[in-house]
Amino acid sequence: MVIKVFLASSSGSTAIKKKQQDVVAFLEALKVDYTPLDIACNEDNRMWMRQNVPEDKKPANGIPLPPQIFNEESYCGDYDTFFNAKEDNLVYTFLGLPPPPGSKEAEQADKDNIVENGTHAEENLDDTIVPVEDRNGDSNKEVKQATDENEEGEGDEEEKEGAAKEETADDEGETVGDEAPTEKEEEAAVEETDEVTEDTEGQAEEEEEQEEEDLQSEEEEELRQLEEQDEQGRAVVSGGGRGRRRRRRRVGRNTGGRG
């Protein structure tokens, strides 16, 4: 398998030159064999690269820029996907190559294989489980038959118990129905309650009227007493005035006689 790296030797873009140098330097550091293909001086290389880059990997203008990486005829990716694979220690996976022993990617692959093998082993164990009947033979069949007979006997007893419970429930339902009050009795009870309530309300109204009459009588009695006190006071005041006038007349007569 040959890794192909499409480059532009005479590109005027500094960014493109830097990306090409990063890809080539990293592949050389990993000692990965690759073939550089110049698209600036070779029109066939440029056309082949543009035609074999997948449509969904091309930019908006439809013209892919270098560097572009292939494994034989299979497209690996551009600089961005190469850089992401390098950061994740998955460059060999990105290139479609087996990782060398001792590399981080190889160690990770070994761990993944262990996990996969363990999963497969568990699945195989599940598949190879032998039924109990096959392992124990006829003796297990006899035990199973005896167990089935016991279960049938228990099932009959449970049916009998269920029938007895249903009969008991029916009897209880009839008893409850007999004890339940009829609609007429409930209506009669409601009417009696309404009558008692009306009587109680009538008594309460009569008591309120009686209290109001008592209060009016008390107020009238208080007014009458106040009026009597006022009359008595006026009579006292009138009597005192007459006494003074009589005294003055007496004093005047006495004074005139002396003169």
Side-chain angles (χ1 to χ4, degrees):
M1 291 182 291
V2 178
I3 302 300
K4 299 177 182 180
V5 181
F6 289 84
L7 308 170
S9 59
S10 60
S11 174
S13 173
T14 304
I16 291 176
K17 288 181 179 179
K18 185 177 183 303
K19 292 177 179 179
Q20 293 176 162
Q21 291 173 358
D22 289 344
V23 172
V24 171
F26 196 78
L27 292 177
E28 291 177 352
L30 294 179
K31 297 180 180 180
V32 174
D33 293 332
Y34 71 95
T35 300
L37 299 173
D38 190 3
I39 65 172
C41 300
N42 192 318
E43 184 67 19
D44 293 336
N45 290 340
R46 185 177 59 165
M47 295 302 297
W48 191 95
M49 182 194 75
R50 290 183 178 182
Q51 292 174 357
N52 288 275
V53 172
E55 292 295 330
D56 59 339
K57 302 297 182 182
K58 291 180 180 180
N61 59 6
I63 301 174
L65 299 176
Q68 298 290 334
I69 306 166
F70 288 81
N71 184 337
E72 294 289 350
E73 309 296 327
S74 300
Y75 179 72
C76 297
D78 58 2
Y79 174 78
D80 292 334
T81 52
F82 174 82
F83 179 81
N84 293 333
K86 184 176 69 172
E87 292 293 318
D88 297 335
N89 294 321
L90 296 173
V91 174
Y92 289 98
T93 303
F94 168 80
L95 297 173
L97 300 174
S103 64
K104 293 181 179 179
E105 193 168 346
E107 293 176 357
Q108 184 63 35
D110 292 338
K111 291 179 181 178
D112 294 339
N113 289 331
I114 291 171
V115 173
E116 290 179 359
N117 292 334
T119 304
H120 293 318
E122 290 177 357
E123 292 176 356
N124 292 332
L125 287 174
D126 294 337
D127 294 337
T128 56
I129 292 175
V130 180
V132 177
E133 295 179 358
D134 296 341
R135 285 183 291 175
N136 295 336
D138 296 335
S139 60
N140 186 56
K141 292 181 180 179
E142 294 176 357
V143 173
K144 185 179 180 181
Q145 184 176 359
T147 304
D148 294 338
E149 292 176 355
N150 292 331
E151 290 177 354
E152 290 178 358
E154 292 176 355
D156 295 337
E157 292 179 356
E158 290 178 355
E159 290 179 358
K160 292 179 181 179
E161 291 178 357
K165 289 180 179 180
E166 290 178 358
E167 293 178 357
T168 305
D170 294 338
D171 296 338
E172 291 177 354
E174 293 177 357
T175 304
V176 171
D178 295 337
E179 293 177 355
T182 61
E183 293 181 358
K184 294 182 179 180
E185 293 177 352
E186 290 178 356
E187 292 176 357
V190 171
E191 291 177 357
E192 291 178 359
T193 305
D194 295 338
E195 292 176 357
V196 172
T197 303
E198 292 176 357
D199 295 339
T200 304
E201 291 176 354
Q203 292 177 358
E205 291 177 356
E206 292 177 358
E207 290 178 357
E208 289 178 358
E209 293 176 357
Q210 185 65 33
E211 289 178 358
E212 290 177 358
E213 292 177 358
D214 294 340
L215 288 173
Q216 290 177 358
S217 300
E218 291 178 359
E219 290 176 357
E220 291 175 356
E221 182 65 22
E222 289 178 358
L223 290 173
R224 188 180 60 78
Q225 292 178 359
L226 290 173
E227 290 175 356
E228 289 179 356
Q229 291 177 0
D230 291 339
E231 291 178 357
Q232 291 177 359
R234 290 174 184 174
V236 171
V237 172
S238 298
R242 292 174 183 175
R244 291 192 195 97
R245 285 194 293 272
R246 290 175 182 176
R247 290 175 185 172
R248 288 176 184 173
R249 289 175 183 175
R250 291 176 184 176
V251 171
R253 290 175 184 177
N254 295 332
T255 304
R258 290 179 183 175

